[in-house]
Amino acid sequence: LLPVVILISGTGTNLQALIDAARSGAIPVRIAAVVSNRPEAPGLERAREAGITTHVVDHTRYPDREHFDQALQACIDAYRPGLVVLAGFMRILTPGFVEHFAGRLINIHPSLLPDFRGLKTHERALRAGVQEHGASVHFVNNELDGGPVIMQARVPVHPGDTPAELAARVQTREHELYPAVVGLFGTGRLRLEQDRVLLDGRPVDTPLDL
Ligand code: GAR
């Protein structure tokens, strides 16, 4: 089983989906550790309940991003993970960190990238009047939410949707999307080569659809 380290900042519903998928044997990975930058992240309790080792690397205790990322990297490296999964991890990572984990660092973002990079994606999607929204899983590079997209899940936008309603619709799909991608990576079918996603050795030039 591929050792995986998962990074969180908050609720951890995506973490939970990955815990459940790993536990049931649906994806061939072992969640070696969960790391949060926020001591009070509810997701930490989900990990503990599943018997997974947790760590807090509190960004407020470091003078700058470089020192925080060095501590985070050391914490992760101790587990020799084949994959590092950002699951609602809300810190921007330094180029050194991203380079160190290149090709084995993935993120889930609540929009159909390249649309709506950054924060408040659901509000912005509603304001833009799009008819379709969703979530994307991508390899992380030094462009914020700009790394090569692996797979997307689409949802319709309904008339009168509030940001919260739309967010809930997207999140339900995230919980299928992330295990699907982590599963592909775990089986060795997915990799990054020269900023290009390869599935079974073939380039994925438009994101896969869940
Ligand atoms: C998810 O919707 C994820 O897409 C988003 O945060 C949420 C975390 O929820 N990530 C980002 O916005 C990254 N910039 P969770 O803690 O319940 O998994």
Side-chain angles (χ1 to χ4, degrees):
L1 297 179
L2 186 79
V4 170
V5 171
I6 302 181
L7 271 53
I8 62 167
S9 299
T11 320
T13 62
N14 280 286
L15 166 66
Q16 188 69 58
L18 292 167
I19 289 172
D20 295 346
R23 225 192 220 157
S24 73
I27 60 175
V29 304
R30 177 175 64 82
I31 304 175
V34 169
V35 185
S36 174
N37 66 304
R38 289 182 53 229
E40 72 284 13
L44 286 169
E45 190 50 37
R46 297 176 184 272
R48 284 185 209 113
E49 264 170 35
I52 299 166
T53 306
T54 62
H55 295 275
V56 172
V57 183
D58 183 346
H59 63 279
T60 66
R61 291 168 168 265
Y62 295 86
D64 52 37
R65 281 190 200 280
E66 297 290 342
H67 286 86
F68 169 66
D69 278 13
Q70 277 168 24
L72 187 61
Q73 186 176 310
C75 178
I76 298 167
D77 276 345
Y79 294 92
R80 303 185 167 280
L83 181 66
V84 177
V85 173
L86 307 180
F89 184 72
M90 302 306 279
R91 303 292 302 170
I92 292 172
L93 295 161
T94 55
F97 182 100
V98 169
E99 179 57 36
H100 180 76
F101 292 108
R104 52 187 177 121
L105 180 60
I106 61 175
N107 180 46
I108 191 160
H109 180 79
S111 79
L112 296 174
L113 291 170
D115 292 343
F116 311 116
R117 295 177 185 183
L119 300 174
K120 304 212 177 226
T121 56
H122 310 300
E123 269 175 55
R124 287 157 59 209
L126 288 175
R127 230 180 293 130
V130 296
Q131 301 202 350
E132 200 177 42
H133 185 47
S136 307
V137 176
H138 64 92
F139 281 106
V140 175
N141 65 11
N142 280 316
E143 225 181 313
L144 185 63
D145 300 326
V149 179
I150 301 162
M151 194 184 287
Q152 297 180 318
R154 298 164 183 280
V155 304
V157 177
H158 299 324
D161 266 347
T162 63
E165 286 165 339
L166 184 55
R169 195 174 306 127
V170 170
Q171 278 223 353
T172 303
R173 296 284 285 161
E174 287 190 351
H175 302 156
E176 303 164 36
L177 176 65
Y178 225 175
V181 173
V182 170
L184 284 178
F185 197 94
T187 55
R189 297 182 60 195
L190 192 65
R191 61 199 167 86
L192 184 70
E193 206 177 86
Q194 289 157 4
D195 234 35
R196 229 174 172 197
V197 178
L198 298 184
L199 179 65
D200 300 329
R202 283 184 291 274
V204 174
D205 290 324
T206 45
L208 304 166
D209 244 313
L210 179 67

